Amino acid sequence: MAAKKPLNVVKIRKMKEQKERLTMITAYDYPSAKLAEEAGIDIILVGDSLGNVVLGYDSTIPVTLDDMVYHSRATARGAGNTFIVADMPFMTYHGSTDETLKGVRRLMQEGHAHAVKMEGGLEIAAAVKSIVQSGVPVLGHIGLTPQSVNTIGGYRVQGKDAADAKRLMDEAKALEAAGAFAIVLELVAEETAAAISRELSIPTIGIGAGRDCDGQVLVFHDVVKYASPYMEKRFVKTFADVGSQIRGGIEDYVNEVKSGAFPAENHVFKADEGVSESLDSLYGGGRSEEATQQNVPSASDKEKVGTQG
């Protein structure tokens, strides 16, 4: 397989101009990143969704910067020829500029990401501008923003009415003006997402935002149904069911070990000729012979002695 060339922010913007759709998927470790790269994905997002699908949390809020650095570094090792974006986790970019840039530095230097993603609109525009001015590409994220799900009324579609659509448009324009190279639109009404995509010069990447975005992103575990139990989502299409295959494979393994079918003849290694006889002579029948020659009493003799006593 010929090595592909990684994208950069210039090429990503060019793809919008040429009406070439972007593909993005989340990945959180070496094997999933390697598979995604081999499949030809454009962008890998090391998302804080790892809190839900990998770490077992019920939201993204408990995910730490250390978590993101660790998983970003593992992902980068698996996808050396793919543009990698790492999420800035909860409350790591709402304080001072210095603190924000420290987190960004760690994701870039330790996590080996090529860009960072940040949730929010007008309220984070200044932070986005500071990061971009420091030389780091930023991917924006508006609509449903999981880190602030408690303040937006839960997991509900955004931009359904005129006022909310205008709010999202204003946020998208603010992020574009701040220097974001693209924006994720999550769970946004299709008409609103289409209007934003037409208005912006930078690409939009949708997840549950309809058909008119410049690209699409899905969570790795949703694409291949790698979860138990798997929760169906209207805006997701699963393209494989590896969860059932994994579970079935492990069940077969358990059953074969229990029954003795595994390991079979073709799974074992044989010793050189004569080794079995040598081992028998050392630890098997040879011992009783040696014991007899040395007049060591047998178990039956010991019993007799015990009875006579």
Side-chain angles (χ1 to χ4, degrees):
M1 179 184 298
K4 70 170 198 173
K5 294 182 179 179
L7 291 176
N8 55 47
V9 293
V10 175
K11 292 178 182 176
I12 289 169
R13 291 186 181 185
K14 195 75 174 172
M15 289 175 73
K16 179 180 175 93
E17 294 172 16
Q18 296 172 343
K19 301 190 184 306
E20 181 182 351
R21 293 180 183 273
L22 284 156
T23 59
M24 184 161 75
I25 195 170
T26 65
Y28 316 98
D29 54 28
Y30 175 89
S32 59
K34 193 163 184 63
L35 289 169
E37 178 167 281
E38 290 172 352
I41 205 74
D42 291 321
I43 303 171
I44 288 177
L45 170 64
V46 188
D48 59 0
S49 50
L50 75 91
N52 304 83
V53 299
V54 175
L55 302 180
Y57 299 134
D58 59 2
S59 75
T60 63
I61 291 174
V63 176
T64 66
L65 189 60
D66 285 340
D67 292 331
M68 293 306 307
V69 168
Y70 177 88
H71 286 272
S72 180
R73 187 166 58 237
T75 300
R77 286 196 293 268
N81 292 312
T82 303
F83 190 79
I84 294 173
V85 181
D87 258 330
M88 292 284 287
F90 179 69
M91 292 300 289
T92 57
Y93 49 96
H94 294 85
S96 70
T97 301
D98 284 347
E99 285 301 311
T100 297
L101 292 178
K102 282 178 185 176
V104 172
R105 178 189 60 76
R106 289 198 62 199
L107 287 174
M108 302 293 285
Q109 287 187 329
E110 300 173 43
H112 306 300
H114 301 112
V116 298
K117 181 170 78 64
M118 301 164 65
E119 295 182 9
L122 294 164
E123 76 280 9
I124 66 160
V128 170
K129 186 174 183 179
S130 297
I131 294 168
V132 173
Q133 287 177 340
S134 73
V136 176
V138 175
L139 174 63
H141 181 164
I142 61 173
L144 174 68
T145 46
Q147 290 179 14
S148 53
V149 68
N150 294 324
T151 63
I152 62 175
Y155 296 91
R156 61 183 184 84
V157 178
Q158 306 290 301
K160 290 183 75 173
D161 59 51
D164 204 36
K166 182 181 182 307
R167 174 184 66 83
L168 290 176
M169 181 69 80
D170 291 342
E171 290 185 344
K173 287 183 174 181
L175 292 173
E176 180 182 40
F181 70 88
I183 299 176
V184 170
L185 303 178
E186 181 169 358
L187 222 60
V188 174
E190 184 174 56
E191 296 83 356
T192 301
I196 292 171
S197 301
R198 287 193 302 270
E199 188 69 21
L200 299 185
S201 63
I202 59 175
T204 59
I205 302 174
I207 175 167
R211 295 160 286 188
D212 296 305
C213 294
D214 301 302
Q216 297 291 326
V217 57
L218 284 176
V219 171
F220 182 95
H221 293 62
D222 286 338
V223 171
V224 297
K225 217 169 188 177
Y226 184 20
S228 181
Y230 181 75
M231 305 284 291
E232 297 287 348
K233 305 171 187 70
R234 177 176 173 178
F235 58 91
V236 167
K237 178 180 178 180
T238 57
F239 293 83
D241 185 1
V242 301
S244 296
Q245 292 180 333
I246 291 171
R247 184 167 46 252
I250 296 172
E251 285 175 356
D252 290 344
Y253 164 64
V254 170
N255 292 335
E256 289 202 11
V257 171
K258 298 286 188 185
S259 70
F262 176 81
E265 178 69 20
N266 57 314
H267 301 124
V268 300
F269 303 95
K270 296 295 186 181
D272 293 339
E273 189 176 347
V275 170
S276 296
E277 290 78 1
S278 299
L279 290 171
D280 284 344
S281 67
L282 287 171
Y283 302 111
R287 174 170 292 194
S288 37
E289 256 180 60
E290 188 182 344
T292 308
Q293 288 169 2
Q294 293 179 3
N295 295 320
V296 176
S298 66
S300 57
D301 291 336
K302 288 177 181 176
E303 284 177 11
K304 288 176 186 174
V305 172
T307 348
Q308 289 169 358

